[in-house]
Amino acid sequence: MTDPTHKTALVTGASRGIGAAIAARLAREGFDVVVNYAGSEDAAAGVVRKIEAQGGRAMSAKADVSDASDVKRLFDCAETKFGGVDVLVNNAGIMKLAKIGDSDDDLFDTQVAVNLKGTFNTLREASARLPDGGRIINLSTSVVGLKLETYGVYAGLKAAVETMTSIMAKEMRGRNITVNAVAPGPTATALFLDGKPEDLVQKMSKMPPLERLGTPEDIANVVAFLAGPDGGWINGQILRANGGLL
Ligand code: NDP
C-alpha cells in the first residue's frame, strides 16, 4: 500500500472542528492523511470518506494522544499503511474554563494530559520517526497573548506548547525539519461555541478588526502553508491566526 511519491500527514483530533478541516485541506494538497480521533469513530470515518470521494487517500486511527503507547501505535499504523509520517499536526485538544481559584483537580489533570502530555507524546515520537524535510505544526491559542480570565490553565498549557515548539525547532538542527505553532483566535467549533451564551459569542466575534469568528478553514489554510513548499523558511515561530485580534 505504501507509495513513496506521496507524503503523509498525521493530524491528531481530526474527526471534528479545525482538525477535520486541516485533514481535508492537506488531502487536497496531495498528502495521504491519517485522521486521528479519540472517541468520534463515525465522524472520523466521515472525514476519510469525504477525502476519498475527492480522490485523496486517508485512514482513520483511534488513539488517545495522552497515552504514549497509543501514540506509538498511531505512528506504527501510519507506517504500515502509508510508509511513515512526513508532517505531524498536533491539533487534538480540550478546553475547560474556570478561574484558577475555582478549578478542580480534574479540570487541571485532564487538560495537562491531552493538551500538554498529548503534544509531548507525539513530538517525542515524531523526533524519532520523521524523515529529513519533515514538518511539525502545533496548535496553540491567541489567548496566550490575550490572557483572558478563566483561561488560566488552558492558556498556561498552550504557552508551554509554544515554548516546546521553539525549543524543538532548534533540536531538529541538521534534519531540515521545521517546527512551528499556529495560535488561532476564537474559531467556530464545538470547543469554542459549546456552553457559551449567544451574546458572548456575538461579543467575541466582534473583537477582531475583521469582525467575525475564524472558521476551521481559515486555520487549515495557515497549516497548509506551513506544511507546504512555501512555508519552508518559517521555523520555530508562533503564527497568530485571529483576524487581527491581537
Ligand atoms: P473540537 O472540540 O472541535 O475538536 C477537538 C478534536 O480533538 C476532536 O477531533 C477530538 O476527537 C480530538 N481529541 C480530544 N481529545 C483527544 C485525545 N485525548 N486524543 C485524540 N484526540 C482527541 O476542537 P477545535 O477544533 O476547536 O480545536 C482544535 C485545536 O485548536 C485545539 O488544540 C484547540 O485548543 C485549538 N484552538 C481552538 C480554538 C477555537 O476557538 N476553536 C482557538 C484556539 C485554539 P473526538 O471527536 O474523537 O473526541
Side-chain angles (χ1 to χ4, degrees):
M1 274 306 281
T2 63
D3 177 351
T5 63
H6 282 251
K7 288 198 168 176
T8 300
L10 165 56
V11 185
T12 67
S15 51
R16 303 183 277 117
I18 293 170
I22 293 170
R25 176 63 199 267
L26 293 182
R28 283 209 306 281
E29 298 295 326
F31 288 94
D32 297 333
V33 182
V34 180
V35 175
N36 161 249
Y37 66 97
S40 303
E41 185 175 357
D42 291 348
V47 173
V48 169
R49 271 197 307 276
K50 221 165 127 188
I51 289 171
E52 289 175 343
Q54 293 176 351
R57 298 206 313 167
M59 66 178 286
S60 64
K62 182 180 167 86
D64 177 349
V65 294
S66 69
D67 181 326
S69 56
D70 264 22
V71 167
K72 276 202 169 68
R73 270 198 300 277
L74 181 60
F75 276 77
D76 287 345
C77 285
E79 268 171 31
T80 305
K81 174 94 172 171
F82 292 138
V85 173
D86 301 280
V87 173
L88 166 67
V89 183
N90 265 319
N91 167 82
I94 57 172
M95 183 174 79
K96 296 183 179 183
L97 303 181
K99 289 182 182 170
I100 290 170
D102 297 333
S103 296
D104 60 20
D105 287 352
D106 182 68
L107 178 149
F108 184 84
D109 292 341
T110 51
Q111 290 188 98
V112 168
V114 178
N115 297 348
L116 185 58
K117 178 91 191 305
T119 300
F120 163 74
N121 282 337
T122 53
L123 289 179
R124 183 171 56 182
E125 211 55 40
S127 161
R129 304 209 203 197
L130 252 60
D132 281 17
R135 303 279 170 89
I136 298 173
I137 299 132
N138 298 321
L139 268 286
S140 179
T141 171
S142 288
V143 182
V144 169
L146 276 179
K147 299 183 171 62
L148 296 175
E149 294 98 325
T150 73
Y151 284 77
V153 173
Y154 173 75
L157 296 170
K158 292 292 194 179
V161 168
E162 291 191 3
T163 300
M164 285 201 292
T165 299
S166 308
I167 290 175
M168 190 162 168
K170 292 178 180 168
E171 293 173 351
M172 293 297 102
R173 178 181 291 274
R175 293 174 59 181
N176 193 25
I177 294 174
T178 65
V179 189
N180 293 291
V182 176
T187 306
T189 70
L191 179 140
F192 172 72
L193 295 168
D194 282 3
K196 283 200 179 65
E198 184 53 30
D199 56 337
L200 181 58
V201 171
Q202 286 307 323
K203 190 175 149 210
M204 291 184 79
S205 70
K206 295 289 179 219
M207 282 166 67
L210 298 187
E211 295 193 309
R212 65 172 176 83
L213 293 178
T215 64
E217 290 72 25
D218 287 326
I219 308 307
N221 292 343
V222 183
V223 172
F225 165 68
L226 291 172
D230 291 344
W233 192 233
I234 310 289
N235 192 20
Q237 304 301 311
I238 317 301
L239 291 194
R240 286 180 176 158
N242 59 28
L245 176 65
L246 168 75

